[in-house]
Amino acid sequence: MKLFIRDSPRAIALATDTHVLIFRHSATSVGSKQSSTTSVSEGGAPRCIVEFAPWEGQDMGEYRSLSSLKVQGTLGLVTINNDVFLCVANGSSTVATIRPGETIQRILSVEFHCLNRAEYDHLLNDQVNPFPTDSLDADGHDYSGHREPLLEHPCMALKKLLSGGSFYYSADFDLTKRLQDRPAEASTVAIDSLDAGFLWNTYMIQPLVDFRSRLSDRERDALDQSKILTSAIRGFAATVTVPASSSPARSRASGFPSNMTLISRLSCRRAGTRFNARGIDDDGNVANFVETETIFCTDTILFSYVQCRGSVPIFWEQSSGLPGQQRITITRSAQATQPAFDKHFDALEKAYGDVYVVNLLSEEKSSETQITRQYEYHIRESELNRRVEKGVDDDEEDGGKHEQLKHINYDFHAQTRGPNGYEAASGIKRYIQDSAVAFEYFLSEEVQETVQRDGRKQSMIGQNVILSQAGVFRTNCLDCLDRTNLVQTIISQLALEIFLKQQGERSPTSDFWARHGTLWADCGDALSKIYAGTGALKSSFTRSGKMSLAGALADMRKSAQRLYINNFEDKGRQNTIDMLLGRLIGQMPVHLYDPINDWVTAELSRRAPEYSAAEQISIFVGTFNLNGKTHGINDDLSAWLCPQLDQSLQVPEIVAVAFQEIVQLDVQQIMATDPHRRTAWEEVVRKTLNANARRHAADEYVLLRGGQLVGASLSVFVKSCVLPHIKNVEGAVKKTGMSGMAGNKGAVAIRLEYADTSICLVTAHLAAGFANYEERNQDYRTISHGLRFQRNRSIEDHNTIIWFGDFNYRIGMENERARLLIRRGDLGTLYENDQLNLQMVHGKTFPFYTEKTPTFMPTYKYNLGTDEYDTSEKARIPAWCDRIVTKGDNLRQLYYDTAALKFSDHRPVWGLFQCAISVVDEAKKDKISSELYAKRRAVVGSHTASRGTESDDESLYGYDSVEPGLPPASSDRRKWWLDNGMPARSTVKPPSNGFVPNPQRPSNLFSPTAEPDWVKVDKPSAPPSRAASVASNASRVRGDTQARKLPPPFKPAEEQSAPQQPPRPTTYDACPVDNGKVHLKQTLRKPAPPKPNKPTLLRSESGQSTASITSTRSTAAAPPPPPEPRRVVGKTVGTANSETSYPPPPRKSVENPANSPKSSNAPQRPPSRMLKKPPPSADDANPPLPPRRPTNGLMDEGGGEELDGWKPLQPS
């Protein structure tokens, strides 16, 4: 397979011996601002043309080979910085052979070729020839020096990731599926049937998969046979050869060696590094989930056994840091976790059958014990653990019942602490032996049959499946790396022993187990490097079966390396992984242009009401500053959390409750978070909500997630019936106290997705102080821009956003007046002086947010236990500190009020919202899409892409007129109102001379505007002739009796700030002489003046203009005056500057009466050609120039003393 490129128009082709796949970038991006309103919107996704055709039918004369290396296939397309890159694998090695004809390749090198730009092509030279000899001399010395690359490839991070040796592919079989799940007779890999959970290039290859699905059956088979499209997994794959003498399957051996293969497939659904990916998500995917398959193959039989590992399937997180600071936090209650837990094990049961959980967490560490206790709770409550009838006799030991989910807690560290060390871990066999036998294994046998065909006997060889695996062991520790890998090695060994025993074979030799241990040790190292950055601990024991001092020292070194990598490198690694998987915010997949797909997408959008519906849910939010008080936890919170409303609003679907100052904000508290107070308040809130739900016969509430930042906490409760609609729940915090170092001020945010609508809930405690509204504005900006969820998702990246909390904005008026207005009930005047209201009006904070006008009294500050405002010595001004602001066009606020809870100096505030949620019926949408594809295929035919040069017609192909007789839709480059590409000639005439079209009118003619169609523009008068211009200027200068100031002296700062302009020649020069006097030298037409030393300003020591001094000393017999200098815009006549500049473009001038009293009489700009001074007259006196304002110029080196004895230079 070769890669070719065409320069104009730029195209890249992947060619095999029979077919070619061509990619070409389209200049238009889907959904861009310039595109037609009738085009399909994809949020600005780049568009490319793709074509797959036989090699014979393509003219490849304009193509050239871009790289001398052969390519193995393409991993897909990716967009970075609006550039589209084609990723191809060009380096690989064979690492595993399952059976003859089924090999696995490890990717060693990839290339990214840009489809729309040629600037990155030269960067490939370093890959083709990393040691160039062009700069070597005859002796072999490099005279070019070390050269750094001027441009780094945008895909360098992806290239390093994909070339790191952890990605594998196979062109022979479906590598994403285990042996038991893939047909043995499949001759090609159907890329659309791959398991997306283990396919790491799903995001990049998906546009090509969609393109493949629209091909005909013949073309689709040809594309599969070409093996151009490549599927990649991440994990580990290796094969070791077992000689016949060591093979345990001797009874059937024919003298040929056997193969033992280990394949580990890492899931990409919750991919990430060690501390960035923990636990489970709402779709049931867990971090570091790996399916590992042990395969033993002889010349006649094929054995396969699968087990899996994965993070504990509850919602938990762990912070990075030094040992002892890596705290574990369970982020969601058990009730709210159960749906995701059930999803995970339902998927395991469907894929593997019965599940046996092997939990290796410690029973002595409190953090791991906490996880274990909740793990056990979920297993007990799991639907898989319900006993179902087996349909056998009731006298069986299990009472005729069957458990689909079992578990064992096996404290690995406690079990291996004795003198036997890690060897004691084999004791787990006695606990899982029975289940291992019951789960069985996959076994197929090669059979040979003789059949009669066409009158002749033929031998046929096929695979006969004897057994299938009916269950799986799911092993976990905290990281699912070191302890897990060692125990999985033991389970794999147990499965092989059961297989060999049932086959009547003898026990394996030590050499066989040594090869088995080596495979598992290499697998553990590979998986550990992916997740934690280093090889696995305890791998030396896995290899040799013995503990050693060298192995212990190696484990210490790896632990230190993990500490550094996890704290300093994992963030960048996580970002690269998310980029590869297409999960970054704003990352768009490449849109492969197809008139069928475009038309179907447009039709699906038009028919959206047929498969989607808008549902209304209610959201309750409440905020309360507790002032550090705890005695109110026993009070009745119903007045705040369960106000008396309409029956339909009494039990909202989502309840978000925020507290501020939940603990005393003292010095000890502001640097750390104590979760006990939050847990106690959450329990009280949940009981209050559930009591109200029972009164209204509604479903009870469960705690979805809680978060805390020292004194600020946020807890989200949802009705149990809506849990199936909620997914992707995440939490984040942002500190703003003490410049972000302390958590006494800051925000806690929780985001979730309800159906297809994203919701973000933020509680904030901003800076205190009456006059510190600018600090509060800055706190908002810090939180809004700095608080980030996973995959770089920000607060603004949500459909619905609700901020609520103690914002601390005050009322800007005197205390007495504010209290008087409160007594009068004049809340309108108070709100007009409210700082938050004023700052929002001026756009200083919460831009584009809205707040319902408060109709309740200010909530701060009260005397404890009373309705009286602060009477202490400070006597703080009452204020609405506790607020709720929202953003989202699908949100409508129904209520905004407070409650009479008096145990704090604040009053709690609550709001009730009605939110429109979009719900899509995916099955119905897929059905409509299939019908539209079939309909459009009949109209368009087999056309896939344009084969010629770039044309406007490609974006219009397949579009029909809206009405008969009308042209098709336009694009950004072709308009139906232009005749065959020729511009239309306007026949509209202005109302009179001097009128032009108004440029201020909007380009859209149908937009309402008050701008007139035409505006009058006065044309400038024609410039005068050269002689008349100079003469008139001279007369104006002589007749000007009022002194005009010269421009200010040159300053270095002004020189740096002003744009540099080219110098123009002057007609006289300043020439210093030996006696320190400066003379004006008379010049005729083109004299050769001496070179000036300081050609900036002509100044005397007194600061007075030299031209002015000379003019005052002139006598009746004065010599002819020097030629008048050329007029320059921005300088008055007589400015002796040897470096005049071209004028800037004309602009509206602002008159300064202090400096330019007659700026309107400034001379006009002359033509660009040289002006010639008319011959001087004897009667003409040298015109006096106005005195210059004394300033310290660049040439004022002699102080302020006036020069004496100046004489005009006499003509020679």
Side-chain angles (χ1 to χ4, degrees):
M1 191 182 303
K2 295 285 290 183
L3 187 141
F4 298 92
I5 188 170
R6 184 179 65 188
D7 293 321
S8 180
R10 186 172 176 84
I12 295 179
L14 288 172
T16 65
D17 294 336
T18 58
H19 286 79
V20 59
L21 183 66
I22 302 176
F23 298 91
R24 179 163 58 85
H25 182 262
S26 178
T28 59
S29 63
V30 181
S32 61
K33 293 182 178 179
Q34 294 82 13
S35 62
S36 170
T37 57
T38 59
S39 62
V40 183
S41 177
E42 290 250 337
R47 174 181 293 189
C48 294
I49 316 298
V50 62
E51 182 177 358
F52 180 72
W55 173 269
E56 294 80 6
Q58 290 293 326
D59 182 10
M60 304 296 293
E62 299 180 357
Y63 288 82
R64 58 183 175 86
S65 179
L66 185 61
S67 173
S68 60
L69 302 178
K70 289 186 177 182
V71 297
Q72 280 75 39
T74 176
L75 296 177
L77 299 158
V78 65
T79 304
I80 299 179
N81 299 329
N82 296 324
D83 292 329
V84 182
F85 294 89
L86 175 68
C87 178
V88 295
N90 65 337
S92 64
S93 63
T94 302
V95 294
T97 302
I98 297 179
R99 51 189 173 186
E102 293 184 354
T103 60
I104 301 176
Q105 311 289 325
R106 179 166 62 180
I107 299 176
L108 301 177
S109 175
V110 298
E111 288 179 353
F112 287 87
H113 299 280
C114 188
L115 291 181
N116 57 310
R117 297 174 61 185
E119 285 81 355
Y120 303 112
D121 291 350
H122 71 281
L123 298 179
L124 300 174
N125 296 333
D126 297 335
Q127 304 168 8
V128 176
N129 185 17
F131 305 104
T133 58
D134 298 339
S135 59
L136 298 181
D137 57 15
D139 298 329
H141 297 291
D142 188 356
Y143 56 85
S144 64
H146 180 68
R147 294 182 300 174
E148 293 290 340
L150 300 179
L151 182 67
E152 183 178 273
H153 203 287
C155 303
M156 184 57 65
L158 285 177
K159 176 179 171 62
K160 292 179 180 178
L161 176 67
L162 291 170
S163 304
S166 62
F167 289 87
Y168 301 82
Y169 78 94
S170 175
D172 304 321
F173 66 97
D174 185 355
L175 188 55
T176 64
K177 291 186 176 69
R178 57 177 176 163
L179 272 172
Q180 182 171 321
D181 294 336
R182 61 182 175 90
E185 65 275 4
S187 59
T188 59
V189 180
I191 199 164
D192 58 345
S193 64
L194 303 178
D195 188 342
F198 299 117
L199 183 62
W200 274 72
N201 61 323
T202 301
Y203 165 74
M204 295 196 298
I205 205 70
Q206 190 61 45
L208 286 168
V209 173
D210 295 338
F211 164 73
R212 174 189 175 277
S213 67
R214 298 190 293 271
L215 297 178
S216 64
D217 294 339
R218 180 177 54 83
E219 292 172 329
R220 187 183 302 117
D221 293 339
L223 182 60
D224 293 341
Q225 291 286 351
S226 68
K227 301 180 181 180
I228 293 177
L229 306 186
T230 304
S231 58
I233 68 166
R234 195 179 193 194
F236 175 79
T239 296
V240 294
T241 301
V242 181
S245 59
S246 301
S247 176
R250 297 187 185 91
S251 62
R252 306 182 188 182
S254 58
F256 293 102
S258 306
N259 289 333
M260 183 162 48
T261 304
L262 197 65
I263 304 175
S264 287
R265 306 173 182 92
L266 176 63
S267 173
C268 63
R269 296 194 185 277
R270 188 165 170 76
T273 54
R274 185 182 181 193
F275 292 106
N276 291 302
R278 293 289 203 188
I280 196 172
D281 64 12
D282 288 283
D283 293 324
N285 306 308
V286 296
N288 200 22
F289 182 81
V290 183
E291 176 190 88
T292 304
E293 183 177 15
T294 305
I295 302 173
F296 179 68
C297 179
T298 68
D299 52 349
T300 58
I301 61 173
L302 184 64
F303 163 86
S304 168
Y305 189 80
V306 170
Q307 49 186 319
C308 62
R309 69 176 74 179
S311 186
V312 178
I314 64 175
F315 292 92
W316 63 284
E317 298 172 353
Q318 186 177 16
S319 59
S320 60
L322 298 176
Q325 297 180 350
Q326 300 169 354
R327 297 182 55 184
I328 294 176
T329 305
I330 297 179
T331 61
R332 197 179 296 190
S333 66
Q335 295 88 347
T337 303
Q338 194 68 45
F341 183 92
D342 290 339
K343 288 180 182 178
H344 175 70
F345 279 96
D346 285 344
L348 291 182
E349 191 273 333
K350 291 178 181 178
Y352 306 108
D354 296 344
V355 182
Y356 198 118
V357 173
V358 180
N359 180 28
L360 305 178
L361 293 178
S362 173
E363 294 286 347
E364 300 173 353
K365 297 181 180 180
S366 59
S367 57
E368 296 189 14
T369 303
Q370 182 185 12
I371 294 177
T372 299
R373 298 289 84 82
Q374 184 164 336
Y375 200 177
E376 292 175 339
Y377 167 82
H378 291 303
I379 292 176
R380 290 193 304 269
E381 298 297 325
S382 173
E383 295 180 357
L384 293 180
N385 217 17
R386 298 174 182 172
R387 295 177 177 267
V388 295
E389 292 292 336
K390 285 182 61 178
V392 295
D393 296 337
D394 294 339
D395 58 353
E396 286 189 11
E397 183 179 352
D398 61 355
K401 309 293 182 180
H402 174 64
E403 286 183 330
Q404 291 182 298
L405 178 59
K406 296 181 180 180
H407 82 286
I408 179 177
N409 293 329
Y410 190 79
D411 188 344
F412 181 88
H413 291 311
Q415 296 292 335
T416 58
R417 193 172 293 152
N420 293 329
Y422 295 145
E423 295 179 6
S426 299
I428 197 175
K429 289 183 179 180
R430 64 179 179 269
Y431 299 107
I432 63 175
Q433 176 82 26
D434 294 340
S435 295
V437 173
F439 287 168
E440 297 179 331
Y441 43 84
F442 174 78
L443 180 64
S444 67
E445 184 178 8
E446 187 178 272
V447 293
Q448 183 174 359
E449 298 181 55
T450 303
V451 296
Q452 190 85 11
R453 178 177 295 180
D454 297 333
R456 293 183 299 178
K457 293 183 178 180
Q458 295 182 356
S459 296
M460 298 186 64
I461 299 176
Q463 293 288 334
N464 181 32
V465 177
I466 301 174
L467 283 175
S468 294
Q469 187 173 344
V472 68
F473 285 97
R474 187 197 187 279
T475 311
N476 72 268
C477 55
L478 196 65
D479 296 324
C480 303
L481 296 177
D482 314 317
R483 292 174 278 181
T484 298
N485 197 70
L486 197 152
V487 171
Q488 282 195 327
T489 306
I490 296 173
I491 296 175
S492 175
Q493 181 178 347
L494 176 61
L496 279 168
E497 289 175 347
I498 295 174
F499 155 67
L500 295 174
K501 182 178 180 180
Q502 292 180 352
Q503 295 299 313
E505 303 288 352
R506 289 177 296 178
S507 299
T509 63
S510 59
D511 179 71
F512 177 82
W513 290 128
R515 297 173 190 271
H516 177 265
T518 300
L519 272 180
W520 274 98
D522 292 341
C523 175
D525 287 339
L527 297 177
S528 181
K529 288 178 182 178
I530 294 173
Y531 191 59
T534 70
L537 308 182
K538 310 174 182 62
S539 60
S540 61
F541 175 81
T542 307
R543 293 180 191 276
S544 61
K546 299 180 181 179
M547 298 178 61
S548 64
L549 177 60
L553 294 176
D555 289 350
M556 294 176 59
R557 175 179 54 83
K558 293 174 183 177
S559 298
Q561 290 177 343
R562 282 186 186 181
L563 181 66
Y564 174 82
I565 293 173
N566 298 155
N567 283 277
F568 299 102
E569 296 183 1
D570 275 0
K571 186 176 181 181
R573 293 170 61 208
Q574 180 71 51
N575 190 73
T576 307
I577 291 172
D578 290 338
M579 183 188 300
L580 173 65
L581 299 176
R583 295 176 179 175
L584 295 179
I585 293 298
Q587 193 174 5
M588 297 173 295
V590 177
H591 176 79
L592 292 183
Y593 172 73
D594 188 336
I596 301 177
N597 185 48
D598 283 356
W599 184 85
V600 170
T601 304
E603 284 296 298
L604 278 177
S605 178
R606 187 178 63 84
R607 298 175 60 176
E610 298 182 27
Y611 57 83
S612 63
E615 296 182 1
Q616 298 291 336
I617 66 169
S618 54
I619 303 176
F620 176 94
V621 297
T623 176
F624 194 4
N625 188 316
L626 298 174
N627 194 25
K629 302 297 185 294
T630 57
H631 57 269
I633 198 170
N634 298 320
D635 291 4
D636 185 10
L637 305 180
S638 299
W640 172 41
L641 300 176
C642 308
Q644 295 300 319
L645 304 172
D646 296 339
Q647 182 64 28
S648 60
L649 302 174
Q650 284 290 345
V651 189
E653 282 76 9
I654 300 176
V655 176
V657 179
F659 294 105
Q660 299 82 41
E661 298 187 32
I662 199 170
V663 296
Q664 292 288 348
L665 298 181
D666 51 22
V667 178
Q668 290 78 18
Q669 292 280 1
I670 64 175
M671 303 302 292
T673 299
D674 182 10
H676 299 294
R677 291 274 186 93
R678 175 175 64 87
T679 304
W681 278 103
E682 285 176 345
E683 184 63 22
V684 172
V685 171
R686 189 180 65 85
K687 289 181 178 179
T688 303
L689 295 175
N690 286 338
N692 179 67
R694 286 190 293 269
R695 285 196 300 269
H696 295 86
D699 294 317
E700 292 190 350
Y701 287 90
V702 297
L703 175 63
L704 184 67
R705 176 158 183 155
Q708 183 177 352
L709 176 65
V710 186
S713 74
L714 175 61
S715 305
V716 179
F717 302 84
V718 297
K719 293 167 64 174
S720 57
C721 62
V722 304
L723 281 173
H725 302 290
I726 295 177
K727 60 182 179 179
N728 297 330
V729 182
E730 301 174 19
V733 297
K734 183 64 178 179
K735 299 178 181 178
T736 59
M738 295 175 62
S739 300
M741 297 176 57
N744 59 319
K745 296 293 185 291
V748 183
I750 294 177
R751 58 98 50 199
L752 57 96
E753 293 177 11
Y754 193 110
D756 290 339
T757 302
S758 58
I759 302 173
C760 184
L761 304 165
V762 186
T763 183
H765 194 187
L766 305 184
F770 177 84
N772 295 335
Y773 55 87
E774 286 293 348
E775 285 79 359
R776 290 187 275 275
N777 296 345
Q778 182 59 42
D779 283 352
Y780 159 76
R781 291 189 288 268
T782 300
I783 295 168
S784 180
H785 293 90
L787 190 146
R788 295 284 170 170
F789 300 99
Q790 293 183 13
R791 300 186 181 95
N792 205 32
R793 190 182 283 113
S794 68
I795 294 175
E796 299 299 321
D797 296 322
H798 294 82
N799 305 121
T800 303
I801 308 171
I802 304 177
W803 286 66
F804 52 111
D806 183 1
F807 296 165
N808 262 321
Y809 285 94
R810 310 302 172 89
I811 296 176
M813 61 173 56
E814 296 179 355
N815 198 348
E816 292 301 326
R817 185 175 176 226
R819 296 183 184 230
L820 177 62
L821 293 174
I822 291 174
R823 289 193 293 269
R824 293 179 179 177
D826 189 359
L827 301 183
T829 304
L830 289 173
Y831 191 65
E832 290 175 358
N833 292 273
D834 176 71
Q835 291 179 349
L836 178 59
N837 178 39
L838 295 174
Q839 295 299 307
M840 290 178 66
V841 167
H842 289 85
K844 300 291 186 64
T845 187
F846 292 101
F848 308 108
Y849 283 80
T850 59
E851 182 192 29
K852 189 178 178 68
T853 304
T855 57
F856 49 87
M857 293 297 176
T859 59
Y860 174 85
K861 175 182 184 180
Y862 287 91
N863 294 328
L864 296 181
T866 69
D867 290 328
E868 187 178 9
Y869 287 103
D870 187 18
T871 57
S872 65
E873 182 180 352
K874 294 184 178 180
R876 291 182 175 85
I877 303 173
W880 284 295
C881 288
D882 310 279
R883 311 292 277 270
I884 302 175
V885 296
T886 62
K887 183 179 181 180
D889 54 6
N890 63 333
L891 202 62
R892 185 165 68 95
Q893 187 166 0
L894 304 178
Y895 295 94
Y896 191 18
D897 207 345
T898 185
L901 297 180
K902 304 178 182 180
F903 59 85
S904 172
D905 57 357
H906 288 251
R907 291 290 184 266
V909 173
W910 62 274
L912 187 65
F913 300 86
Q914 197 173 52
C915 185
I917 301 296
S918 176
V919 180
V920 176
D921 187 344
E922 295 294 342
K924 195 170 185 179
K925 181 181 179 181
D926 292 341
K927 181 180 178 182
I928 296 175
S929 178
S930 301
E931 295 173 354
L932 292 174
Y933 267 113
K935 177 182 177 181
R936 199 58 183 170
R937 171 67 69 180
V939 175
V940 178
S942 59
H943 178 83
T944 55
S946 173
R947 301 185 181 183
T949 58
E950 199 165 347
S951 170
D952 295 330
D953 294 334
E954 63 193 18
S955 60
L956 302 179
Y957 187 87
Y959 284 101
D960 295 332
S961 302
V962 180
E963 294 290 341
L966 293 180
S970 64
S971 70
D972 62 335
R973 291 172 295 169
R974 175 177 177 179
K975 280 78 176 176
W976 54 262
W977 56 87
L978 300 185
D979 185 13
N980 295 326
M982 298 299 295
R985 185 180 299 276
S986 174
T987 59
V988 180
K989 296 182 179 180
S992 61
N993 294 333
F995 281 86
V996 297
N998 186 2
Q1000 300 299 326
R1001 282 188 61 88
S1003 57
N1004 187 353
L1005 301 179
F1006 303 100
S1007 299
T1009 179
E1011 292 287 342
D1013 294 335
W1014 303 88
V1015 292
K1016 185 174 178 59
V1017 177
D1018 295 331
K1019 294 184 178 180
S1021 58
S1025 61
R1026 289 180 294 169
S1029 176
V1030 175
S1032 61
N1033 182 57
S1035 63
R1036 283 196 302 269
V1037 172
R1038 287 192 299 268
D1040 190 3
T1041 58
Q1042 183 178 357
R1044 293 187 297 169
K1045 295 183 179 180
L1046 293 175
F1050 173 82
K1051 295 181 180 180
E1054 296 179 1
E1055 183 184 46
Q1056 296 173 5
S1057 61
Q1060 187 174 2
Q1061 298 172 345
R1064 300 180 65 179
T1066 57
T1067 54
Y1068 64 91
D1069 299 295
C1071 303
V1073 293
D1074 295 339
N1075 58 1
K1077 301 179 182 179
V1078 181
H1079 300 275
L1080 295 179
K1081 186 176 71 172
Q1082 173 87 23
T1083 59
L1084 296 178
R1085 298 183 66 87
K1086 288 186 178 179
K1091 182 179 180 181
N1093 290 332
K1094 295 183 179 181
T1096 53
L1097 294 175
L1098 183 59
R1099 296 289 306 278
S1100 67
E1101 294 184 359
S1102 63
Q1104 188 178 5
S1105 173
T1106 56
S1108 177
I1109 297 174
T1110 306
S1111 63
T1112 56
R1113 296 191 173 202
S1114 59
T1115 60
E1124 187 176 0
R1126 295 176 57 194
R1127 290 170 291 134
V1128 180
V1129 176
K1131 295 181 180 293
T1132 56
V1133 178
T1135 302
N1137 191 349
S1138 64
E1139 292 187 8
T1140 58
S1141 59
Y1142 290 110
R1147 63 180 64 183
K1148 184 177 180 181
S1149 61
V1150 179
E1151 184 174 354
N1152 189 343
N1155 297 330
S1156 301
K1158 295 186 178 181
S1159 59
S1160 61
N1161 297 328
Q1164 300 294 325
R1165 178 183 176 181
S1168 58
R1169 56 184 179 270
M1170 291 289 295
L1171 296 179
K1172 295 181 180 181
K1173 176 73 176 175
S1177 173
D1179 298 334
D1180 292 338
N1182 193 17
L1185 294 177
R1188 185 165 187 162
R1189 181 174 57 187
T1191 54
N1192 187 16
L1194 290 178
M1195 297 185 66
D1196 295 342
E1197 300 175 354
E1201 298 180 1
E1202 185 177 355
L1203 295 177
D1204 296 331
W1206 286 25
K1207 296 181 180 179
L1209 186 64
Q1210 300 295 330
S1212 56

